[in-house]
Amino acid sequence: MGNLSRRDFLAAGAAASLFTIIPSHVLAQPPSNKLNIGCVGVGGMMGGGDVEGVADGNNIYALCDVDANHLGKMAARHSAAKQYRDFREMLDKEHKNLDAITVTTPDHMHATIALAAMERGLAVHCQKPLTQSVWEARLLTNAEKKYKVPTQMGNQGYSCEATRVACEMIWSGVIGDVLEVHSMSGGGFSREITAWPPKEDIPATLEWDLWLGHTREQPYSSKIHPINWRGFLDYGSQMVGDWGIHQFGPANWALQLGRPDSVKCLEVKGVNPVTYPSYSCVMQFPERPNPHVPAGKMPPVKVFWYEGEMAAHFQPPEGLTAEDCKGFNEIFVGTKGFIGTKGRGEAVSLLPVAKMKDYELPKPVIERVLDGHYQNWVQACKGGKPAVSNFSIAGPYSEWILLGAVCWRFPEEELKWDGANLRFTNNDKANEFLKPHFRKGWELPEISV
């Protein structure tokens, strides 16, 4: 390899693969084709899952977590990995030895860590939602264009067979023009907390200030770390960012949603200054181009979201019963019928399900992911096609999803959205919630491309 760095070598191999396909029996992959991966956030909800998800066929080179308990448990499984508590130190010391990182931290630090890695030329797998705020989602979209590194958001449903089948069914015209989509999640985190929890002693194993990252200084509470942060306004996005971004995957892809014209909170309950309330909202998307349908475009569509207590307020559209919708968390309403999807886009059916008995699925037109969501990204890192939920897709998707986490503050008010300029045109107060607070020394730059 001479003076080539590992990353240069992998990049050179990727460039060569664009022009020549060499059978594996002629040229076996060298040991250096294993990626050196640094994992930031290795406990909590998905930390362990993400580490093991990318470990197959690769080298877990470094582990980083602000919680020594999480770090110790994962280090026991990957004993050769270097250990860090501060991602900044890991990137400063190891970026020349790394090819890629995973980001599995609370939402509020996704953009900060991902951008720091991209600036150093590292590929990034970042958990969903891509960011906590709309502004940060645009930032990482632009960063992907600027730094041109392989990226992937951790919304596994985008790699599922059923998500692709749902798209192909809708594009075939079996339910006609889709005019509405309804999705709901009755879960939630910290919904009983309406004031900042009482201060507790910071565990000796936790670097609390590092955990807070760019957010305001706040006292530690076990009601926040390690799990329930997702319900707090400062750190998460509650269920729309936890499951909404999974559930809406088929809609985002099939309907080529892009940017909405407006978002409106329909109902809200439990507003307080600390955690997210229960709410429902509707986003209106304009007519959009779609090369996959005969008309080349799709009509305006309304996308409804029901969260927490409001999930129970979902009413089946005319033509379906509650029993027809049972078990489905995304309902497409077309001019000729209905489609439902389940989970993260892991199952799909015409509704009522009896209509599937004699239905013949359309011919596949979307390439299938054969080895799963993590390997889809790994293959991109090794010179393959861009991952299915790379930041050029995940960024705009996260932008419109996260408008839901803003609109509940202005109930029954239609907020007009200027996506090109990342602002509401009729409510300056609402614009204050598009970008997070950054403590001094943690600011992120604007990136324009």
Side-chain angles (χ1 to χ4, degrees):
M1 292 175 64
N3 293 323
L4 283 177
S5 69
R6 282 180 43 78
R7 213 174 312 127
D8 290 336
F9 181 78
L10 288 168
S17 71
L18 296 176
F19 303 97
T20 306
I21 299 176
I22 304 175
S24 58
H25 70 275
V26 177
L27 179 62
Q29 292 195 357
S32 59
N33 199 47
K34 284 189 174 184
L35 300 175
N36 275 350
I37 301 177
C39 300
V40 184
V42 298
M45 289 188 184
M46 279 296 295
D50 282 358
V51 175
E52 301 306 332
V54 301
D56 186 25
N58 297 299
N59 179 34
I60 302 302
Y61 185 89
L63 301 170
C64 180
D65 202 295
V66 298
D67 191 320
N69 289 330
H70 293 164
L71 189 61
K73 290 177 182 178
M74 192 53 62
R77 303 177 69 172
H78 298 276
S79 57
K82 297 186 178 184
Q83 299 178 39
Y84 291 92
R85 304 293 293 279
D86 189 333
F87 76 92
R88 297 168 298 183
E89 181 184 6
M90 185 191 82
L91 292 177
D92 285 344
K93 290 185 177 180
E94 306 292 355
H95 71 272
K96 291 183 180 179
N97 300 316
L98 292 171
D99 303 301
I101 73 165
T102 61
V103 181
T104 320
T105 65
D107 299 352
H108 70 282
M109 289 301 291
H110 285 184
T112 300
I113 300 168
L115 181 60
M118 296 169 79
E119 290 172 336
R120 290 164 172 80
L122 302 180
V124 177
H125 182 288
C126 184
Q127 259 306 325
K128 52 75 195 172
L130 184 59
T131 62
Q132 191 207 8
S133 74
V134 176
W135 180 87
E136 291 169 305
R138 178 67 58 87
L139 179 75
L140 290 192
T141 302
N142 290 343
E144 194 260 359
K145 295 176 183 176
K146 179 177 180 179
Y147 296 110
K148 297 179 172 59
V149 296
T151 57
Q152 178 90 301
M153 180 171 70
N155 55 326
Q156 298 94 319
Y158 243 63
S159 289
C160 286
E161 171 78 9
T163 291
R164 287 154 174 72
V165 172
C167 293
E168 291 158 354
M169 290 171 67
I170 288 169
W171 296 342
S172 76
V174 65
I175 63 168
D177 289 331
V178 177
L179 303 182
E180 293 182 2
V181 181
H182 298 261
S183 188
M184 66 295 296
S185 176
F189 297 82
S190 310
R191 293 206 183 273
E192 76 285 358
I193 297 175
T194 57
W196 203 267
K199 180 180 179 180
E200 300 176 41
D201 291 336
I202 301 171
T205 55
L206 178 64
E207 296 284 353
W208 178 242
D209 192 64
L210 282 177
W211 190 97
L212 289 172
H214 71 72
T215 62
R216 299 174 180 85
E217 293 184 30
Q218 295 282 16
Y220 165 77
S221 170
S222 59
K223 295 182 181 295
I224 302 171
H225 171 77
I227 297 296
N228 288 314
W229 53 264
R230 192 176 291 279
F232 281 74
L233 301 179
D234 285 354
Y235 313 124
S237 48
Q238 196 56 278
M239 297 312 293
V240 76
D242 184 30
W243 270 95
I245 202 157
H246 279 314
Q247 296 169 198
F248 276 128
N252 188 63
W253 194 339
L255 304 183
Q256 304 283 290
L257 286 177
R259 295 167 177 167
D261 283 335
S262 68
V263 58
K264 181 179 181 180
C265 174
L266 302 174
E267 193 174 6
V268 63
K269 183 178 180 180
V271 173
N272 69 84
V274 177
T275 59
Y276 285 92
S278 296
Y279 67 94
S280 62
C281 65
V282 58
M283 303 180 196
Q284 301 207 43
F285 290 82
E287 181 180 270
R288 305 156 319 284
N290 188 337
H292 305 288
V293 297
K297 60 183 179 180
M298 303 190 92
V301 61
K302 294 181 179 180
V303 176
F304 294 82
W305 170 248
Y306 310 82
E307 177 166 309
E309 291 185 36
M310 299 308 138
H313 292 196
F314 163 70
Q315 295 294 317
E318 185 176 355
L320 291 179
T321 67
E323 186 64 26
D324 294 330
C325 298
K326 188 175 181 179
F328 294 91
N329 56 24
E330 182 181 49
I331 311 292
F332 293 86
V333 181
T335 54
K336 297 180 181 178
F338 311 92
I339 285 175
T341 61
K342 295 183 178 182
R344 297 168 290 193
E346 294 149 319
V348 60
S349 178
L350 291 172
L351 298 180
V353 294
K355 290 183 175 292
M356 289 297 292
K357 181 179 180 181
D358 299 317
Y359 176 67
E360 183 176 345
L361 292 176
K363 181 179 178 180
V365 296
I366 305 174
E367 184 177 356
R368 268 44 179 175
V369 172
L370 301 179
D371 299 317
H373 202 64
Y374 294 109
Q375 287 302 311
N376 179 252
W377 171 68
V378 167
Q379 290 161 13
C381 294
K382 295 181 178 180
K385 296 179 180 179
V388 295
S389 192
N390 65 81
F391 291 1
S392 69
I393 295 168
Y397 179 23
S398 295
E399 277 187 28
W400 73 256
I401 281 280
L402 292 171
L403 292 177
V406 173
C407 73
W408 56 265
R409 297 172 174 88
F410 308 93
E412 300 182 15
E413 180 179 348
E414 185 175 20
L415 301 173
K416 301 291 187 179
W417 181 240
D418 178 1
N421 294 301
L422 210 69
R423 61 184 298 271
F424 295 110
T425 60
N426 63 335
N427 190 319
D428 287 337
K429 183 65 176 178
N431 289 324
E432 296 177 11
F433 299 98
L434 300 176
K435 182 177 180 179
H437 170 83
F438 289 98
R439 277 198 285 171
K440 186 175 182 180
W442 287 92
E443 299 88 353
L444 294 181
E446 296 275 359
I447 296 178
S448 57
V449 291

